[in-house]
Amino acid sequence: MASRSHDTSRLDNTLAVIRSLRDKGPVARVDLGTLNGISSATVTSISADLLQQGLISERPPDMPRPNERGRPKTLIQLAPEAACVICIKLSINELQLVVGDYAGQITHSEHHSIDTLGLSQEALVTLLKDKTAAVCDLALTRHRRLAGICLAVQGVVSSHSGTLIWSPALSFRNAPLAALLEAHFDCPVLLENDANCIASVLATQPAYADHPNLVVIMLGYGIGMSVLIDGKPFLGANGSAAEFGHSKYQPGGALCACGKRGCIEAYISDYALYRQASEVIELPAGDSAHPSESQMQALTQLALQGQPEAQRIFAEAGRALGYGLGNLLTLFNPDLVLITGSGVRGYPAMHDAMQTAIDEALVPELVGSTRIASCPWDRDMTCLGGIAMTLQATDQQILAG
Amino acid sequence: MASRSHDTSRLDNTLAVIRSLRDKGPVARVDLGTLNGISSATVTSISADLLQQGLISERPPDMPRPNERGRPKTLIQLAPEAACVICIKLSINELQLVVGDYAGQITHSEHHSIDTLGLSQEALVTLLKDKTAAVCDLALTRHRRLAGICLAVQGVVSSHSGTLIWSPALSFRNAPLAALLEAHFDCPVLLENDANCIASVLATQPAYADHPNLVVIMLGYGIGMSVLIDGKPFLGANGSAAEFGHSKYQPGGALCACGKRGCIEAYISDYALYRQASEVIELPAGDSAHPSESQMQALTQLALQGQPEAQRIFAEAGRALGYGLGNLLTLFNPDLVLITGSGVRGYPAMHDAMQTAIDEALVPELVGSTRIASCPWDRDMTCLGGIAMTLQATDQQILAG
DNA sequence: ATATTTATTTTAGCGACTAAATTAAATGTC
DNA sequence: GACATTTAATTTAGTCGCTAAAATAAATAT
């Protein structure tokens, strides 16, 4: 209801400049002006402030002179050392810690194998504190300050309250992890869903930049989803992300890790595929309830190479996926659906059945113009997104000094 | 990407003042200041402009003097005659035309019985033009200008493009109705989904004002839905509203009016209930594919009074509704779901089965704190919402003169 | 050496806001 | 009934942030 009390355009424009620099790398003042719809006089004024604060630096353009007349551009760029953020990615049996600089680039990354399901809440918090403190010490030798920490987890989180509601990687629920970490580090701690992190990265990529309403589906051990509306993650009432994996495919159907029956996840997640396959095919030994990357690789290979039982299982998964996407298109009507995650390796074996299921479920008028595509998977993407979100969230504080 | 090029706060604040006056009725300048977070000096300046344009008027407070000291407030109010909008509600076999004044109040309303399904696109457009022109002549005797026209229809519309994609009231599809009407009236024409209109009204009601993420489900001949995110209707990529009624309950299930099988609408809409009931119960004669209000009243009475077959049918509808709501909660996670529409009369007979279905489908953690409630139905509500949306959309033009 | 081109900075001025001072219009008090 | 008090609305003075235009800077072209 209440609009802002006075002109906030200086702050808005300053943040816009910082974000342009982060997205595009070094840019000249004129270009920052046209990019953000402000005069270059204003950019001069803003960049003078930022230079004085040590948040940006000037540098000559890369190319010596590509044959153009006129005064050469002076590029300005974010000073990487001005701040850093730490992103902690928590997934099943693995912890990844990454340091990002003020420009959003990864400057350090480490992986730890952890029995996440065996941890109590206290043990997890202690572990996170210790690992983070060590990384923080390292990071502060190269950066002026720690701007924020992002905990990116698979599962359902309430970002507003910083509470982890449920994660397949953990055996406890409803943990106020952000507050517990904030108590030990003198900076904001964000708790984010991993799919939202990835979606935030994809949305900035030029290939998808013209699709402001974007849905990202992550296939893997669980099924993640993120919905971006006008480029911003859609969070429900309590700040928890939309949970595509637990929308229903078959009332009373297959058992899901969440305890209910018929969830889409119970048909297309790694554990669901492996569970079905291990009943009918000879597969590498291992914990079939938590199949490893190599176990899944083996199974996927069979399906892609035409093993009939495996093909059938992946086709059924494709049907469930298509059915769920049908509901998703009906309800959200996005421009683009991107399917990614480690499970995207099996997507070719699901594709045809998926498309058939969508065609069965929807009249063409309702499908609208939504494009469905897959997208290769990179294990650092989550942390890149977490870094981007954390910087975005803390830019104003960094600016304030 | 591009932020505004310079300070737009005067326009923003002026619009905020106008909207406050429309929402709250006459308000004093001081109160407009605190309400919108601006100084009263600014309100003085803004209201002087508006007075000069004849968009507002001053008046002494209602109560002569309730025993307070100090200079009495001078209330300012929107001048009803400053402009008007026309809202045309198109539903199955009925056309309603309503005139709203600049303050958002209904000043004229008329209903016409029309065989909507028998109309060609040309016939409909001619009809709309004629009826609207007549109402417009009347309205312009009392208002300085026609600010806009809103066509509120049941069905799927693309608001951005002003195209009607599909409506149960019409036998043709993909009609650019907004453009066709705009060609004959010298004002903007909005095409809106009826559920979005209603949701916009409900969202401003004090009882629901603290639920910015609101889902409204309309039960009736068809099933409508509107999702408000931060108080604004969520439109998908092409501007068409989310279609709850055509999300799926049973793959390959009952036949829906859209031509596909298993849609929720095929279980809980008026025609679905009546179709099932007429097979097993003796019911008033009539077109069972398009049951009238009185036919539905009769059927609903049976269910509410305990007739076993009717009860069973409504309970099954409740199950389908609950199942659909489960997916909705999983995906949108709203603060509040309001169930309304003419079909809400049968809600008590659906409620228990609905609740059971939700409990079966969702783990409590995922349900979050969403409240589900029903809400009495008023046939003028759609037009009130259409008027409000049209005024909101045209306020800036009215201001420009 | 000078003209041209393009980038950046400086200057001058404008629009919009706020805080504080002033004016307006009541009620209370003695 | 005169004067103090209270609250509302307006006026005044001053600040902030932006832009357009002018000035300056730094290159290439002739």
Side-chain angles (χ1 to χ4, degrees), chain A residues 367-390:
Chain A
V367 181
S369 51
T370 304
R371 192 158 70 87
I372 298 175
S374 68
C375 163
W377 168 241
D378 170 352
R379 55 185 245 172
D380 274 350
M381 233 193 311
T382 310
C383 288
L384 265 177
I387 289 167
M389 293 179 90
T390 310

Side-chain angles (χ1 to χ4, degrees), chain B residues 303-379:
Chain B
L304 294 176
Q305 284 162 7
Q307 206 279 351
E309 297 291 351
Q311 272 191 324
R312 190 186 51 73
I313 290 167
F314 275 77
E316 179 61 19
R319 255 189 69 76
L321 177 58
Y323 182 85
L325 286 178
N327 280 345
L328 208 59
L329 299 190
T330 308
L331 292 174
F332 279 104
N333 193 5
D335 305 288
L336 173 65
V337 175
L338 278 181
I339 295 169
T340 186
S342 61
V344 77
R345 44 172 144 62
Y347 180 66
M350 301 180 190
H351 175 272
D352 291 353
M354 176 194 87
Q355 195 59 57
T356 306
I358 293 175
D359 293 341
E360 266 172 30
L362 297 186
V363 288
E365 282 85 356
L366 290 177
V367 181
S369 51
T370 304
R371 192 159 68 88
I372 298 175
S374 68
C375 164
W377 169 239
D378 169 352
R379 55 185 246 175

Side-chain angles (χ1 to χ4, degrees), chain B residues 17-360:
Chain B
V17 164
I18 291 171
R19 273 156 210 175
S20 299
L21 292 174
R22 191 130 61 213
D23 284 354
K24 319 246 177 214
V27 184
R29 284 171 241 252
V30 230
D31 300 327
L32 285 169
T34 48
L35 216 50
N36 294 295
I38 52 182
S39 73
S40 63
T42 303
V43 179
T44 294
S45 165
I46 287 172
S47 56
D49 290 353
L50 293 175
L51 270 171
Q52 208 250 311
Q53 285 189 73
L55 297 179
I56 61 171
S57 63
E58 288 188 334
R59 72 163 223 214
D62 281 329
M63 252 84 64
R65 211 101 274 291
N67 212 12
E68 298 196 4
R69 302 181 61 153
R71 176 174 174 173
K73 293 172 199 269
T74 313
L75 305 184
I76 58 184
Q77 62 190 350
L78 295 179
E81 73 282 4
C84 65
V85 298
I86 296 175
C87 178
I88 310 165
K89 175 177 138 191
L90 176 66
S91 47
I92 195 155
N93 293 332
E94 192 187 337
L95 198 64
Q96 181 181 6
L97 286 105
V98 165
V99 178
D101 63 27
Y102 187 52
Q105 299 301 305
I106 293 179
T107 62
H108 172 83
S109 174
E110 58 186 58
H111 292 260
H112 303 274
S113 287
I114 306 277
D115 172 25
T116 52
L117 280 164
L119 291 173
S120 69
Q121 178 177 322
E122 293 69 34
L124 174 72
V125 171
T126 306
L127 180 75
L128 291 180
K129 276 182 192 163
D130 292 350
K131 298 282 183 209
T132 306
V135 167
C136 182
D137 286 346
L138 175 75
L140 285 179
T141 62
R142 290 184 298 196
H143 298 92
R144 281 209 294 279
R145 59 186 289 183
L146 175 64
I149 296 173
C150 176
L151 186 56
V153 299
Q154 230 179 83
V156 185
V157 302
S158 167
S159 301
H160 298 163
S161 66
T163 309
L164 178 132
I165 295 173
W166 178 81
S167 167
L170 297 170
S171 49
F172 53 88
R173 300 182 173 193
N174 295 314
L177 295 181
L180 291 170
L181 287 179
E182 228 157 34
H184 263 245
F185 296 95
D186 188 25
C187 68
V189 176
L190 273 68
L191 182 63
E192 294 291 343
N193 173 270
D194 61 342
N196 277 343
C197 293
I198 289 188
S200 299
V201 175
L202 290 177
T204 65
Q205 294 188 356
Y208 311 125
D210 54 332
H211 296 283
N213 295 325
L214 170 67
V215 169
V216 176
I217 307 272
M218 301 230 317
L219 305 180
Y221 176 77
I223 303 303
M225 162 162 118
S226 174
V227 177
L228 297 189
I229 296 172
D230 282 332
K232 287 188 291 291
F234 167 66
L235 305 171
N238 57 25
S240 79
E243 277 298 298
F244 176 68
H246 301 287
S247 66
K248 297 296 172 291
Y249 171 49
Q250 284 284 1
L255 184 63
C256 176
C258 77
K260 296 292 179 178
R261 292 190 166 275
C263 300
I264 286 179
E265 177 169 311
Y267 294 86
I268 62 176
S269 66
D270 284 356
Y271 73 81
L273 293 169
Y274 209 85
R275 175 173 63 191
Q276 293 176 257
S278 61
E279 289 171 8
V280 291
I281 318 178
E282 200 62 42
L283 284 168
D287 179 1
S288 81
H290 300 107
S292 68
E293 181 60 25
S294 62
Q295 283 175 299
M296 288 310 299
Q297 292 274 13
L299 173 56
T300 306
Q301 275 310 310
L302 286 181
L304 294 176
Q305 284 162 7
Q307 206 279 351
E309 297 291 351
Q311 272 191 324
R312 190 186 51 73
I313 290 167
F314 275 77
E316 179 61 19
R319 255 189 69 76
L321 177 58
Y323 182 85
L325 286 178
N327 280 345
L328 208 59
L329 299 190
T330 308
L331 292 174
F332 279 104
N333 193 5
D335 305 288
L336 173 65
V337 175
L338 278 181
I339 295 169
T340 186
S342 61
V344 77
R345 44 172 144 62
Y347 180 66
M350 301 180 190
H351 175 272
D352 291 353
M354 176 194 87
Q355 195 59 57
T356 306
I358 293 175
D359 293 341
E360 266 172 30

Side-chain angles (χ1 to χ4, degrees), chain A residues 7 9-10 13 38-39 41-42 65 67-72:
Chain A
D7 193 5
S9 47
R10 185 49 173 258
N13 288 335
I38 52 183
S39 72
T42 303
R65 209 101 277 288
N67 211 12
E68 299 196 5
R69 299 179 63 149
R71 176 173 173 173

Side-chain angles (χ1 to χ4, degrees), chain A residues 122-144:
Chain A
E122 294 69 34
L124 174 71
V125 171
T126 306
L127 180 74
L128 292 179
K129 275 181 195 164
D130 292 351
K131 298 280 184 210
T132 306
V135 168
C136 181
D137 286 345
L138 174 75
L140 285 179
T141 61
R142 289 184 298 196
H143 298 92
R144 281 209 293 280

